[in-house]
């Protein structure tokens, strides 16, 4: 139960490679913070610096009121769950769970009580006398979770704990972890969590807030809804959301009203949309989510004419791929609204909903359409 | 012709195998089965013959230790015509004032401290090299490998002079003490390689659990290292039991002779060699190595290695 604070934290590896470029991050007490980003963006590095498994080469990490830069991992009040579970292969589950407590030389009955409680919560009582190699992936991960839980740490650290599990198990473990977090909060001992993943579904469903990273920089920290609706830049816009947001080069001009031009086609933007755009006239990146792109008859006002290049039937919805002026678009249509007569090569109009249009700076990628 | 387009006779076997009882196999299937059985019997016969040839000297040694001296070279067959344990009785009493038991105890006085010392020191040094960064690590590791390639003879004389200065001649110290300082680079190297194959997450988890460097070594690394450690101890045990040159150079009092020297002693001492007593004592000398080997085999097989990280 403590706040976690990173101040201008940097990491330069021994080989001179700078993996983390001065990041600032505050995780409130009891908050579930997800670090998400593509592989190699230094999520693990950041987490391992918090844990004390990597040295911090610049800046400061605080847990509660303590600067922990120079503390060994065991003294930081953290617990960590690894991607590969990292159970001690020669110890039975029971001893795996209690290893940390035994090192602290707690009394035997207290250790036993704690083991029982934790294995009850995680439903691993039946596994206590097995060796790790006799466990399935899901069971092993529950034991790893138990090993973290039993220590009642200030901060929980997770490094892609579910990525070795199959899709179904991953979904149920996701719920289990968030339930556990809520339960601890309700019981009055809220757990501060930093959870690393490259999976946006995990990030969106689990996080109170999400920190999106790229190449050792933080791109945005926000709650899931904000991240989706008001991405701070084109990277976050493209990273969060399925299918990916359409990001295409367009030209913004303001005369009587604002106009967006894609090649030779232009659409007028309604005043309430134009009002929140504060990019100068000229080339911009137009961002529109597939869910916010309506398919209309070709030639409709406010729509770009496009040619269908592919249709993907997903069951409940259809992904329509189309090309307009050399730019590729994807639109998602609910199955019941889909005109089954449409086929590859047909002409359609693609009409972006003005409320959901994003305009990004071409150079910096910054979102210029936030009011 | 590829196996795909081949109108292969195997196909029906695969399809019908689970359904049919062995009594109702088609001639085609029976033929295949016979061929497989024939192949297997050829394979095993060959293995048995070669195996027998390789193990024959050992069989002969054991058999001959029960022969009389007269019969010894009469036949190359190992089975004794008139089995006798006279060889064991003569051999055990030896031609010296001491029984063979003395030499056994002497050997153990070298072997046990040496094996323990090797296990501890090689583990410590390997842990350092495999898991820590420190200045000069590359150079030190290169030196370690270099000593691996250095022939033994090169260091014999300087070592002898050194131990003489220390006043360690005619004691077991020249053989034992180096083992406590990870003297045999081969063992260190072997453990380093094994440690490199163990994922680090378990050790990191232990550090997060509050273990210090030494506790990580004792509670996590050593148990995972056990299969390799057993091999190291086994090698050291057998090499030391068989070491002849070391004791020959440093030990001059007969009372302190280990088995390897004592065996040689009985050849020198008598003019007409009592072959059966020499062979009998050789058999006894081999016994500890064999026993230790078969005991240790179990923990080879039970090797736990990296079971904790499987997906
Ligand atoms: N021990 C190391 N030495 C040098 N570079 C490293 C080391 N560990 C990781 N890196 C580099 O740092 C970057 C971030 O790695 P990591 O934190 O593992 O990324 P992520 O967990 O986001 O996939 C990568 O480019 C990786 O190659
Ligand atoms: Mg990672």
């Amino acid at each position: 139960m403590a706040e976690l604070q990173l101040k201008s934290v940097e990491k330069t590896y021994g080989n001179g490679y700078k993996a983390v470029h001065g990041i600032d991050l505050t995780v409130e007490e009891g908050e579930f913070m997800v670090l998400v980003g593509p592989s190699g963006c230094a999520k693990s590095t950041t987490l391992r610096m918090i844990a004390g498994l990597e040295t911090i080469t610049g800046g400061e990490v605080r847990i509660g009121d303590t600067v922990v830069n120079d503390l060994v991992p065991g003294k930081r009040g953290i617990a960590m769950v690894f991607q590969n579970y990292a159970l001690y292969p020669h110890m039975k589950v029971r001893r795996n769970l209690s290893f940390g407590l035994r090192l602290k030389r707690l009394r035997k009955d207290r250790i036993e009580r704690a083991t029982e409680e934790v294995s009850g919560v995680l439903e691993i009582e039946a596994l206590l006398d097995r060796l790790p190699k006799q466990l399935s992936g899901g069971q092993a991960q529950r034991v790893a979770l138990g090993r973290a839980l039993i220590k009642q740490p200030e901060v929980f650290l997770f490094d892609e704990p579910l990525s070795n599990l199959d899709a179904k198990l991953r979904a149920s473990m996701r719920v289990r972890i968030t339930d556990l977090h809520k339960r601890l909060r309700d019981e009055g001992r809220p757990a501060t969590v930093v959870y690393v993943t490259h999976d946006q579904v995990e990030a969106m469903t689990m996080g109170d807030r999400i920190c999106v990273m790229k190449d050792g920089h933080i791109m945005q920290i926000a709650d899931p809804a904000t991240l989706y609706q008001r991405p701070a830049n084109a990277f976050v816009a493209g990273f969060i959301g399925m299918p990916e947001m359409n990001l295409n080069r367009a030209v913004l001009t303001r005369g009587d009203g604002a106009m967006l031009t894609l090649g030779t086609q232009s659409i007028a933007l309604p005043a309430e949309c134009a009002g929140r755009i504060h990019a100068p006239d000229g080339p911009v990146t137009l961002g529109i989510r597939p869910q916010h792109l309506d398919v209309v008859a070709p030639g409709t006002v406010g729509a770009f004419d496009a040619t269908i290049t592919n249709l993907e039937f997903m069951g409940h919805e259809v992904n329509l791929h189309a090309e307009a002026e050399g730019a590729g678009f994807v639109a998602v249509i609910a199955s019941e609204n889909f005109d089954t007569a449409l086929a590859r090569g047909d002409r359609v109009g693609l009409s972006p909903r003005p409320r959901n249009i994003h305009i990004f700076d071409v150079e910096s990628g910054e979102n210029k359409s936030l009011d | 012709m590829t196996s795909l387009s081949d109108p292969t006779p195997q196909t029906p076997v695969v399809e019908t195998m689970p359904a049919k009882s062995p009594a109702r196999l088609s001639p085609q299937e029976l033929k295949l089965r016979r061929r497989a059985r024939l192949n297997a019997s050829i394979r095993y016969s060959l293995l048995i013959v070669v195996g027998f040839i390789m193990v024959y000297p050992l069989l002969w040694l054991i058999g001959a230790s029960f022969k009389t001296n007269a019969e010894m070279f009469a036949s190359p067959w190992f089975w004794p015509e008139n089995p006798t344990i006279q060889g064991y009785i003569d051999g055990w009493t030896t031609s010296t004032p001491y029984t063979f038991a003395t030499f056994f105890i002497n050997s153990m006085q070298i072997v046990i401290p040496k094996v323990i010392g090797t296990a501890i020191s090689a583990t410590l040094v390997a842990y350092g090299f495999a898991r820590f960064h420190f200045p000069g690590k590359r150079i030190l590791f290169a030196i370690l490998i270099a000593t691996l390639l250095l022939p033994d003879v090169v260091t014999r004389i300087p070592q002898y002079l050194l131990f003489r200065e220390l006043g360690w001649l005619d004691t077991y110290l020249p053989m034992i003490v180096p083992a406590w300082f990870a003297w045999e680079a081969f063992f260190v190297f072997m453990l380093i390689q094994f440690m490199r194959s163990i994922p680090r997450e378990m050790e990191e988890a232990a550090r997060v659990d509050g273990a210090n460097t030494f506790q990580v070594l004792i509670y996590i690394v050593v148990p995972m290292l056990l299969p390799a450690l057993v091999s190291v101890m086994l090698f050291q045990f057998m090499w030391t039991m068989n070491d002849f040159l070391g004791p020959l150079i440093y030990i001059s009092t007969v009372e302190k002779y280990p088995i390897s020297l004592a065996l040689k002693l009985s050849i020198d001492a008598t003019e007409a060699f009592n072959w059966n007593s020499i062979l009998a004592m050789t058999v006894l000398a081999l016994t500890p190595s064999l026993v230790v080997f078969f005991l240790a085999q179990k923990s080879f097989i039970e090797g736990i290695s990296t079971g904790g990280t499987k997906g």
Side-chain angles (χ1 to χ4, degrees), chain A residues 48 52-53 73-74 78-80 82 84-91 99-100 103 132-133 135 147 151, chain B residues 201-202 204-211 215 219-220 223-224 302-311:
Chain A
R48 290 166 58 81
L53 295 172
I78 49 137
M80 185 157 170
F82 295 79
N84 294 328
Y85 324 134
L87 299 178
Y88 312 125
H90 54 287
M91 294 183 201
F99 183 70
L103 284 179
K133 65 179 168 208
L135 302 178
R147 191 171 61 181
K151 293 170 63 188
Chain B
E201 274 110 344
M202 273 82 89
E204 290 175 344
R207 279 166 64 197
V208 171
D209 264 348
Q215 287 169 321
Y219 295 128
I220 309 296
M224 291 197 289
E302 275 176 7
I304 29 171
S305 67
T306 54
T309 53
K310 72 168 179 139

Short mmCIF file of all heavy atoms in Angstrom, two decimals, chain A residues 48 52-53 73-74 78-80 82 84-91 99-100 103 132-133 135 147 151, chain B residues 201-202 204-211 215 219-220 223-224 302-311:
data_model
loop_
_atom_site.label_atom_id
_atom_site.label_comp_id
_atom_site.label_asym_id
_atom_site.label_seq_id
_atom_site.Cartn_x
_atom_site.Cartn_y
_atom_site.Cartn_z
N ARG A 48 11.86 -3.71 -14.38
CA ARG A 48 12.98 -4.32 -13.67
C ARG A 48 13.77 -3.28 -12.87
O ARG A 48 14.40 -3.62 -11.87
CB ARG A 48 13.87 -5.06 -14.66
CG ARG A 48 13.18 -6.33 -15.21
CD ARG A 48 13.91 -6.88 -16.42
NE ARG A 48 15.29 -7.21 -16.11
CZ ARG A 48 15.67 -8.33 -15.50
NH1 ARG A 48 14.77 -9.22 -15.17
NH2 ARG A 48 16.93 -8.54 -15.23
N GLY A 52 14.39 -3.47 -8.97
CA GLY A 52 15.76 -3.52 -8.47
C GLY A 52 16.59 -4.60 -9.14
O GLY A 52 17.68 -4.92 -8.68
N LEU A 53 16.08 -5.16 -10.22
CA LEU A 53 16.83 -6.19 -10.93
C LEU A 53 17.75 -5.56 -11.98
O LEU A 53 18.64 -6.22 -12.49
CB LEU A 53 15.87 -7.18 -11.60
CG LEU A 53 15.02 -7.99 -10.62
CD1 LEU A 53 13.96 -8.79 -11.35
CD2 LEU A 53 15.89 -8.92 -9.78
N PRO A 73 16.37 -5.71 -4.21
CA PRO A 73 14.96 -6.02 -4.49
C PRO A 73 14.19 -6.46 -3.24
O PRO A 73 13.05 -6.03 -3.02
CB PRO A 73 15.04 -7.17 -5.49
CG PRO A 73 16.36 -7.03 -6.15
CD PRO A 73 17.28 -6.42 -5.13
N GLY A 74 14.82 -7.27 -2.40
CA GLY A 74 14.14 -7.81 -1.23
C GLY A 74 13.75 -6.76 -0.21
O GLY A 74 12.90 -7.00 0.64
N ILE A 78 8.36 -5.04 -2.75
CA ILE A 78 7.68 -5.37 -4.00
C ILE A 78 7.56 -6.88 -4.13
O ILE A 78 8.24 -7.63 -3.45
CB ILE A 78 8.48 -4.85 -5.20
CG1 ILE A 78 9.95 -5.29 -5.06
CG2 ILE A 78 8.40 -3.36 -5.33
CD1 ILE A 78 10.55 -5.79 -6.30
N ALA A 79 6.66 -7.29 -5.01
CA ALA A 79 6.61 -8.69 -5.42
C ALA A 79 6.46 -8.69 -6.93
O ALA A 79 5.92 -7.74 -7.50
CB ALA A 79 5.44 -9.41 -4.78
N MET A 80 6.99 -9.73 -7.56
CA MET A 80 6.99 -9.70 -9.02
C MET A 80 6.51 -11.04 -9.57
O MET A 80 6.84 -12.09 -9.04
CB MET A 80 8.40 -9.40 -9.51
CG MET A 80 8.52 -9.23 -11.00
SD MET A 80 10.00 -8.27 -11.40
CE MET A 80 10.05 -8.49 -13.17
N PHE A 82 6.62 -13.24 -13.07
CA PHE A 82 7.37 -13.25 -14.34
C PHE A 82 6.58 -13.95 -15.44
O PHE A 82 5.71 -14.77 -15.17
CB PHE A 82 8.70 -14.01 -14.15
CG PHE A 82 9.64 -13.35 -13.20
CD1 PHE A 82 9.48 -13.49 -11.83
CD2 PHE A 82 10.71 -12.61 -13.68
CE1 PHE A 82 10.36 -12.89 -10.94
CE2 PHE A 82 11.60 -12.02 -12.80
CZ PHE A 82 11.43 -12.16 -11.43
N ASN A 84 7.64 -16.27 -17.44
CA ASN A 84 7.87 -17.72 -17.43
C ASN A 84 7.60 -18.33 -16.06
O ASN A 84 8.16 -19.38 -15.75
CB ASN A 84 9.31 -18.01 -17.82
CG ASN A 84 9.57 -17.62 -19.25
OD1 ASN A 84 8.68 -17.69 -20.07
ND2 ASN A 84 10.79 -17.18 -19.54
N TYR A 85 6.84 -17.64 -15.25
CA TYR A 85 6.46 -18.11 -13.91
C TYR A 85 7.65 -18.12 -12.96
O TYR A 85 7.53 -17.71 -11.82
CB TYR A 85 5.82 -19.50 -13.93
CG TYR A 85 4.96 -19.78 -15.13
CD1 TYR A 85 5.05 -20.95 -15.84
CD2 TYR A 85 4.04 -18.81 -15.56
CE1 TYR A 85 4.25 -21.18 -16.96
CE2 TYR A 85 3.25 -19.04 -16.67
CZ TYR A 85 3.36 -20.23 -17.36
OH TYR A 85 2.59 -20.45 -18.45
N ALA A 86 8.81 -18.62 -13.42
CA ALA A 86 10.02 -18.62 -12.60
C ALA A 86 9.80 -19.26 -11.25
O ALA A 86 10.28 -18.79 -10.23
CB ALA A 86 10.56 -17.19 -12.42
N LEU A 87 9.05 -20.36 -11.22
CA LEU A 87 8.92 -21.11 -9.98
C LEU A 87 10.23 -21.85 -9.72
O LEU A 87 10.94 -22.21 -10.65
CB LEU A 87 7.76 -22.11 -10.09
CG LEU A 87 6.40 -21.47 -10.33
CD1 LEU A 87 5.33 -22.54 -10.46
CD2 LEU A 87 6.04 -20.52 -9.19
N TYR A 88 10.53 -22.08 -8.44
CA TYR A 88 11.75 -22.80 -8.11
C TYR A 88 11.51 -24.28 -8.41
O TYR A 88 10.68 -24.92 -7.75
CB TYR A 88 12.12 -22.59 -6.65
CG TYR A 88 12.07 -21.13 -6.23
CD1 TYR A 88 11.31 -20.70 -5.16
CD2 TYR A 88 12.78 -20.17 -6.96
CE1 TYR A 88 11.25 -19.36 -4.80
CE2 TYR A 88 12.71 -18.83 -6.61
CZ TYR A 88 11.95 -18.44 -5.53
OH TYR A 88 11.89 -17.13 -5.19
N PRO A 89 12.22 -24.84 -9.39
CA PRO A 89 11.84 -26.16 -9.91
C PRO A 89 12.01 -27.29 -8.90
O PRO A 89 11.37 -28.32 -9.03
CB PRO A 89 12.78 -26.35 -11.10
CG PRO A 89 13.91 -25.43 -10.87
CD PRO A 89 13.37 -24.27 -10.09
N HIS A 90 12.87 -27.11 -7.91
CA HIS A 90 13.16 -28.21 -6.99
C HIS A 90 12.32 -28.13 -5.73
O HIS A 90 12.49 -28.94 -4.83
CB HIS A 90 14.64 -28.17 -6.63
CG HIS A 90 15.06 -26.82 -6.10
ND1 HIS A 90 15.20 -25.73 -6.91
CD2 HIS A 90 15.34 -26.41 -4.87
CE1 HIS A 90 15.56 -24.69 -6.19
NE2 HIS A 90 15.66 -25.06 -4.94
N MET A 91 11.44 -27.13 -5.63
CA MET A 91 10.61 -27.00 -4.43
C MET A 91 9.17 -27.29 -4.78
O MET A 91 8.67 -26.89 -5.83
CB MET A 91 10.68 -25.57 -3.89
CG MET A 91 12.02 -25.14 -3.38
SD MET A 91 11.86 -23.47 -2.71
CE MET A 91 13.56 -22.94 -2.77
N PHE A 99 8.68 -19.45 0.36
CA PHE A 99 10.13 -19.20 0.34
C PHE A 99 10.50 -17.84 0.95
O PHE A 99 11.36 -17.75 1.82
CB PHE A 99 10.65 -19.30 -1.10
CG PHE A 99 12.14 -19.13 -1.22
CD1 PHE A 99 12.99 -20.11 -0.75
CD2 PHE A 99 12.68 -18.00 -1.80
CE1 PHE A 99 14.37 -19.97 -0.86
CE2 PHE A 99 14.06 -17.85 -1.92
CZ PHE A 99 14.89 -18.84 -1.45
N GLY A 100 9.79 -16.80 0.49
CA GLY A 100 10.09 -15.45 0.98
C GLY A 100 9.87 -15.32 2.48
O GLY A 100 10.69 -14.73 3.19
N LEU A 103 12.58 -17.08 4.43
CA LEU A 103 13.82 -16.29 4.49
C LEU A 103 13.73 -15.24 5.59
O LEU A 103 14.72 -14.91 6.22
CB LEU A 103 14.08 -15.59 3.15
CG LEU A 103 14.62 -16.46 2.02
CD1 LEU A 103 14.79 -15.60 0.78
CD2 LEU A 103 15.95 -17.09 2.40
N PRO A 132 6.76 -27.95 -9.53
CA PRO A 132 6.34 -27.09 -10.64
C PRO A 132 6.21 -27.83 -11.97
O PRO A 132 5.33 -27.50 -12.76
CB PRO A 132 7.47 -26.06 -10.70
CG PRO A 132 7.95 -25.96 -9.32
CD PRO A 132 7.84 -27.34 -8.74
N LYS A 133 7.06 -28.83 -12.20
CA LYS A 133 6.96 -29.49 -13.51
C LYS A 133 5.71 -30.34 -13.63
O LYS A 133 5.38 -30.80 -14.71
CB LYS A 133 8.21 -30.32 -13.78
CG LYS A 133 8.41 -31.49 -12.86
CD LYS A 133 9.68 -32.26 -13.23
CE LYS A 133 10.03 -33.23 -12.13
NZ LYS A 133 11.45 -33.51 -12.05
N LEU A 135 2.77 -29.07 -13.02
CA LEU A 135 1.66 -28.12 -13.13
C LEU A 135 1.44 -27.73 -14.59
O LEU A 135 2.38 -27.69 -15.38
CB LEU A 135 1.99 -26.85 -12.34
CG LEU A 135 2.27 -26.99 -10.85
CD1 LEU A 135 2.62 -25.63 -10.27
CD2 LEU A 135 1.07 -27.58 -10.13
N ARG A 147 2.71 -16.65 -4.89
CA ARG A 147 4.01 -16.34 -4.31
C ARG A 147 4.17 -14.83 -4.13
O ARG A 147 4.85 -14.37 -3.22
CB ARG A 147 5.12 -16.89 -5.22
CG ARG A 147 6.47 -16.86 -4.58
CD ARG A 147 7.47 -17.61 -5.41
NE ARG A 147 7.63 -17.03 -6.74
CZ ARG A 147 8.44 -17.52 -7.66
NH1 ARG A 147 9.15 -18.60 -7.42
NH2 ARG A 147 8.55 -16.95 -8.84
N LYS A 151 3.32 -12.30 0.17
CA LYS A 151 4.24 -11.36 0.81
C LYS A 151 3.56 -10.07 1.22
O LYS A 151 4.18 -9.24 1.90
CB LYS A 151 5.39 -11.03 -0.15
CG LYS A 151 6.27 -12.23 -0.44
CD LYS A 151 7.22 -11.94 -1.57
CE LYS A 151 8.16 -10.81 -1.21
NZ LYS A 151 8.95 -10.42 -2.38
N GLU B 201 15.61 -16.21 -14.34
CA GLU B 201 14.40 -15.72 -13.67
C GLU B 201 14.23 -16.29 -12.26
O GLU B 201 13.79 -15.58 -11.37
CB GLU B 201 13.15 -16.06 -14.48
CG GLU B 201 12.83 -15.04 -15.54
CD GLU B 201 13.07 -15.61 -16.90
OE1 GLU B 201 13.77 -16.65 -16.95
OE2 GLU B 201 12.58 -15.06 -17.88
N MET B 202 14.59 -17.56 -12.09
CA MET B 202 14.41 -18.16 -10.77
C MET B 202 15.26 -17.42 -9.74
O MET B 202 14.82 -17.17 -8.62
CB MET B 202 14.82 -19.63 -10.79
CG MET B 202 13.71 -20.55 -11.21
SD MET B 202 13.53 -20.65 -12.97
CE MET B 202 14.61 -21.98 -13.35
N GLU B 204 16.26 -14.34 -10.01
CA GLU B 204 15.70 -13.01 -9.83
C GLU B 204 14.48 -13.07 -8.91
O GLU B 204 14.30 -12.22 -8.05
CB GLU B 204 15.33 -12.42 -11.19
CG GLU B 204 16.56 -12.07 -12.00
CD GLU B 204 16.24 -11.60 -13.40
OE1 GLU B 204 15.11 -11.82 -13.87
OE2 GLU B 204 17.15 -11.01 -14.02
N ALA B 205 13.67 -14.11 -9.11
CA ALA B 205 12.50 -14.27 -8.24
C ALA B 205 12.95 -14.42 -6.79
O ALA B 205 12.34 -13.85 -5.88
CB ALA B 205 11.69 -15.48 -8.68
N ALA B 206 14.02 -15.15 -6.58
CA ALA B 206 14.51 -15.34 -5.22
C ALA B 206 15.02 -14.03 -4.63
O ALA B 206 14.82 -13.75 -3.45
CB ALA B 206 15.62 -16.39 -5.21
N ARG B 207 15.67 -13.22 -5.46
CA ARG B 207 16.13 -11.93 -4.96
C ARG B 207 14.95 -11.05 -4.57
O ARG B 207 14.97 -10.36 -3.55
CB ARG B 207 16.99 -11.23 -6.01
CG ARG B 207 18.42 -11.76 -6.02
CD ARG B 207 19.17 -11.32 -7.25
NE ARG B 207 19.33 -9.88 -7.30
CZ ARG B 207 19.64 -9.21 -8.42
NH1 ARG B 207 19.82 -9.86 -9.54
NH2 ARG B 207 19.78 -7.91 -8.39
N VAL B 208 13.91 -11.08 -5.41
CA VAL B 208 12.71 -10.32 -5.07
C VAL B 208 12.10 -10.87 -3.78
O VAL B 208 11.57 -10.13 -2.97
CB VAL B 208 11.70 -10.37 -6.23
CG1 VAL B 208 10.36 -9.78 -5.81
CG2 VAL B 208 12.23 -9.62 -7.44
N ASP B 209 12.20 -12.17 -3.60
CA ASP B 209 11.69 -12.79 -2.38
C ASP B 209 12.55 -12.46 -1.16
O ASP B 209 12.22 -12.88 -0.05
CB ASP B 209 11.63 -14.32 -2.54
CG ASP B 209 10.24 -14.78 -2.98
OD1 ASP B 209 9.30 -13.97 -2.92
OD2 ASP B 209 10.10 -15.96 -3.36
N GLY B 210 13.66 -11.77 -1.37
CA GLY B 210 14.45 -11.30 -0.24
C GLY B 210 15.73 -12.07 0.01
O GLY B 210 16.37 -11.88 1.05
N ALA B 211 16.11 -12.95 -0.91
CA ALA B 211 17.34 -13.71 -0.70
C ALA B 211 18.55 -12.86 -1.07
O ALA B 211 18.51 -12.12 -2.05
CB ALA B 211 17.31 -14.98 -1.55
N GLN B 215 22.37 -16.63 -0.31
CA GLN B 215 21.17 -17.46 -0.19
C GLN B 215 20.66 -17.91 -1.56
O GLN B 215 20.18 -19.02 -1.72
CB GLN B 215 20.07 -16.70 0.55
CG GLN B 215 20.36 -16.56 2.04
CD GLN B 215 19.44 -15.58 2.72
OE1 GLN B 215 19.09 -14.54 2.16
NE2 GLN B 215 19.04 -15.88 3.94
N TYR B 219 20.15 -21.80 -1.97
CA TYR B 219 18.79 -22.31 -2.04
C TYR B 219 18.29 -22.52 -3.47
O TYR B 219 17.37 -23.28 -3.71
CB TYR B 219 17.82 -21.38 -1.31
CG TYR B 219 18.06 -21.30 0.17
CD1 TYR B 219 18.21 -20.09 0.82
CD2 TYR B 219 18.15 -22.47 0.93
CE1 TYR B 219 18.44 -20.02 2.18
CE2 TYR B 219 18.38 -22.41 2.29
CZ TYR B 219 18.53 -21.19 2.91
OH TYR B 219 18.76 -21.13 4.25
N ILE B 220 18.84 -21.77 -4.41
CA ILE B 220 18.30 -21.84 -5.78
C ILE B 220 19.31 -22.43 -6.76
O ILE B 220 19.02 -23.40 -7.45
CB ILE B 220 17.87 -20.43 -6.27
CG1 ILE B 220 16.97 -19.76 -5.25
CG2 ILE B 220 17.21 -20.52 -7.64
CD1 ILE B 220 15.65 -20.44 -5.01
N PRO B 223 20.75 -26.31 -5.92
CA PRO B 223 19.83 -27.40 -6.24
C PRO B 223 19.61 -27.59 -7.74
O PRO B 223 19.48 -28.72 -8.21
CB PRO B 223 18.52 -26.97 -5.57
CG PRO B 223 18.93 -26.04 -4.50
CD PRO B 223 20.15 -25.34 -5.00
N MET B 224 19.58 -26.49 -8.49
CA MET B 224 19.38 -26.64 -9.93
C MET B 224 20.64 -27.17 -10.60
O MET B 224 20.60 -27.76 -11.67
CB MET B 224 18.96 -25.30 -10.54
CG MET B 224 17.58 -24.88 -10.11
SD MET B 224 16.88 -23.59 -11.15
CE MET B 224 17.87 -22.22 -10.69
N GLU B 302 17.34 -38.33 -12.32
CA GLU B 302 16.34 -37.48 -11.69
C GLU B 302 16.55 -36.00 -11.99
O GLU B 302 15.83 -35.16 -11.49
CB GLU B 302 16.33 -37.70 -10.17
CG GLU B 302 15.49 -38.88 -9.76
CD GLU B 302 15.58 -39.13 -8.27
OE1 GLU B 302 16.19 -38.30 -7.57
OE2 GLU B 302 15.05 -40.15 -7.82
N GLY B 303 17.59 -35.71 -12.79
CA GLY B 303 17.98 -34.33 -13.08
C GLY B 303 16.80 -33.38 -13.17
O GLY B 303 15.89 -33.61 -13.94
N ILE B 304 16.84 -32.33 -12.38
CA ILE B 304 15.69 -31.45 -12.33
C ILE B 304 15.85 -30.32 -13.34
O ILE B 304 14.88 -29.79 -13.83
CB ILE B 304 15.53 -30.86 -10.93
CG1 ILE B 304 16.90 -30.78 -10.28
CG2 ILE B 304 14.56 -31.67 -10.13
CD1 ILE B 304 16.92 -30.05 -9.00
N SER B 305 17.08 -29.98 -13.64
CA SER B 305 17.43 -28.92 -14.59
C SER B 305 16.44 -27.78 -14.59
O SER B 305 16.30 -27.08 -13.60
CB SER B 305 17.60 -29.50 -15.99
OG SER B 305 16.37 -29.95 -16.49
N THR B 306 15.71 -27.56 -15.67
CA THR B 306 15.00 -26.30 -15.82
C THR B 306 13.49 -26.47 -15.83
O THR B 306 12.78 -25.75 -16.48
CB THR B 306 15.44 -25.60 -17.12
OG1 THR B 306 15.25 -26.54 -18.19
CG2 THR B 306 16.87 -25.19 -17.05
N GLY B 307 12.99 -27.45 -15.08
CA GLY B 307 11.56 -27.75 -15.12
C GLY B 307 10.66 -26.59 -14.75
O GLY B 307 9.49 -26.57 -15.13
N GLY B 308 11.18 -25.59 -14.05
CA GLY B 308 10.33 -24.53 -13.54
C GLY B 308 9.89 -23.52 -14.58
O GLY B 308 9.00 -22.73 -14.33
N THR B 309 10.50 -23.54 -15.76
CA THR B 309 10.17 -22.48 -16.71
C THR B 309 9.43 -23.00 -17.93
O THR B 309 9.21 -22.28 -18.85
CB THR B 309 11.43 -21.75 -17.20
OG1 THR B 309 12.33 -22.74 -17.67
CG2 THR B 309 12.05 -20.95 -16.10
N LYS B 310 9.07 -24.26 -17.91
CA LYS B 310 8.38 -24.74 -19.11
C LYS B 310 7.04 -24.05 -19.27
O LYS B 310 6.42 -23.63 -18.31
CB LYS B 310 8.21 -26.25 -19.05
CG LYS B 310 7.18 -26.63 -18.03
CD LYS B 310 6.78 -28.07 -18.13
CE LYS B 310 5.78 -28.34 -17.05
NZ LYS B 310 4.69 -29.15 -17.40
N GLY B 311 6.59 -23.96 -20.53
CA GLY B 311 5.38 -23.19 -20.80
C GLY B 311 4.12 -23.99 -20.55
O GLY B 311 4.16 -25.12 -20.13
#
